[in-house]
């Protein structure tokens, strides 16, 4: 799992430095090593999240404990990275990095995409967008854990995928429900869960 995470991270970093970086600084980079498909490393991360989250869920005693662990894992490092990026923006090295204090405060929540229809926040760093789908997935798993529905994960997953498919096909969105329930990435998270069940249970494998 760690090796796959490493490869996915490498793919994303390579994508940013060879595909995104040149669009921000066209005069500073030779685009010979472009890797436009590296963004798929993020999708692979979502699948890995679906897999490893069940390992965590089996070790915790409550939804509260689960959420505290997720908070500690995500937010402190995320806040540090935002502050580092914001510090660089003070020197105005590029218009891409210019952010306001209001944007920094909004980004500290990690749900700036969710509250953007009400209050507009610029991303301090666009690369952080993938954290919110992970966060929404954790919240969904916490709800299932709280109401002891994880034993019915296949039924819950079927409903999740079906709803995502219908709402995506017909372009339906209710009060940011598509963002909250990860309609765009539900199949990736749920496939990770299914791979976990196959790996853990020989009967599921058959």
């Amino acid at each position: 799992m760690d090796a796959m995470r490493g490869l996915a991270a490498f793919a994303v970093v390579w994508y940013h430095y060879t595909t995104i970086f040149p669009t921000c600084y066209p005069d500073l980079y030779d685009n010979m090593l472009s890797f436009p498909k590296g963004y798929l490393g993020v999708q692979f991360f979502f699948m890995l999240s679906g897999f490893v989250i069940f390992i965590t869920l089996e070790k915790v005693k409550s939804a509260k404990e689960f959420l505290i662990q997720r908070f500690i894992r995500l937010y402190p490092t995320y806040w540090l990275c935002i502050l580092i990026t914001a510090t660089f923006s003070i020197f105005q090295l590029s218009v891409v990095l210019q952010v306001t204090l209001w944007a920094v405060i909004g980004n500290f929540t990690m749900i700036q995409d969710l509250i953007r229809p009400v209050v507009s926040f610029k991303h301090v760093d666009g690369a952080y967008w993938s954290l919110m789908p992970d966060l929404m997935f954790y919240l969904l798993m916490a709800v299932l854990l709280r109401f002891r529905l994880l034993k019915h994960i296949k039924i819950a997953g079927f409903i999740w995928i079906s709803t995502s498919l219908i709402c995506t096909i017909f372009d339906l969105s209710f009060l940011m429900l598509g963002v909250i329930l990860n309609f765009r990435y539900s199949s990736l998270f749920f496939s990770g869960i299914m791979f976990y069940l196959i790996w853990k249970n020989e009967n599921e494998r058959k």
Side-chain angles (χ1 to χ4, degrees):
M1 295 299 294
D2 286 338
M4 287 191 285
R5 280 173 167 170
L7 290 172
F10 179 75
V12 174
V13 170
W14 194 3
Y15 165 73
H16 275 275
Y17 275 97
T18 64
T19 307
I20 299 298
F21 184 86
T23 64
C24 301
Y25 307 96
D27 300 328
L28 300 179
Y29 190 81
D30 184 350
N31 208 25
M32 290 178 60
L33 296 176
S34 180
F35 188 47
K37 296 299 182 182
Y39 76 92
L40 292 172
V42 176
Q43 276 77 350
F44 189 50
F45 266 119
F46 290 158
M47 293 178 68
L48 289 175
S49 289
F51 188 101
V52 301
I53 209 64
F54 259 62
I55 298 175
T56 302
L57 287 168
E58 289 184 345
K59 296 178 180 178
V60 297
K61 298 178 181 178
S62 66
K64 180 180 179 181
E65 180 184 350
F66 171 72
L67 289 175
I68 290 174
Q69 286 186 7
R70 294 298 93 193
F71 180 89
I72 294 173
R73 183 176 179 84
L74 283 180
Y75 274 91
T77 304
Y78 171 67
W79 288 337
L80 177 62
C81 290
I82 284 182
L83 291 175
I84 292 173
T85 305
T87 300
F88 272 95
S89 75
I90 294 175
F91 298 97
Q92 297 183 351
L93 301 177
S94 165
V95 293
V96 177
L97 290 177
Q98 290 179 2
V99 295
T100 64
L101 177 61
W102 185 241
V104 172
I105 294 173
N107 277 249
F108 260 48
T109 66
M110 202 186 287
I111 59 170
Q112 57 269 23
D113 284 335
L114 187 61
I115 58 180
R116 185 172 289 178
V118 180
V119 182
S120 180
F121 291 113
K122 177 183 176 182
H123 278 285
V124 171
D125 188 329
Y128 302 152
W129 72 267
S130 62
L131 291 173
M132 184 174 156
D134 257 330
L135 181 64
M136 295 296 103
F137 173 60
Y138 297 155
L139 290 174
L140 176 60
M141 292 298 103
V143 170
L144 295 179
L145 176 62
R146 171 64 181 81
F147 293 100
R148 300 181 180 179
L149 295 174
L150 288 176
K151 58 185 176 182
H152 304 299
I153 187 61
K154 286 188 284 187
I155 296 175
F158 178 78
I159 295 172
W160 188 22
I161 295 295
S162 300
T163 305
S164 300
L165 185 62
I166 293 170
C167 290
T168 301
I169 290 175
F170 294 101
D171 194 24
L172 302 176
S173 181
F174 308 100
L175 300 175
M176 299 297 287
L177 193 64
V179 176
I180 297 171
L181 293 179
N182 272 322
F183 285 169
R184 186 174 180 182
Y185 307 108
S186 58
S187 59
L188 298 169
F189 287 112
F190 188 59
S191 65
I193 293 172
M194 292 297 97
F195 278 123
Y196 172 80
L197 294 180
I198 291 171
W199 170 76
K200 183 73 181 295
N201 191 324
E202 186 175 350
N203 292 328
E204 294 288 351
R205 227 168 294 163
K206 295 176 181 179

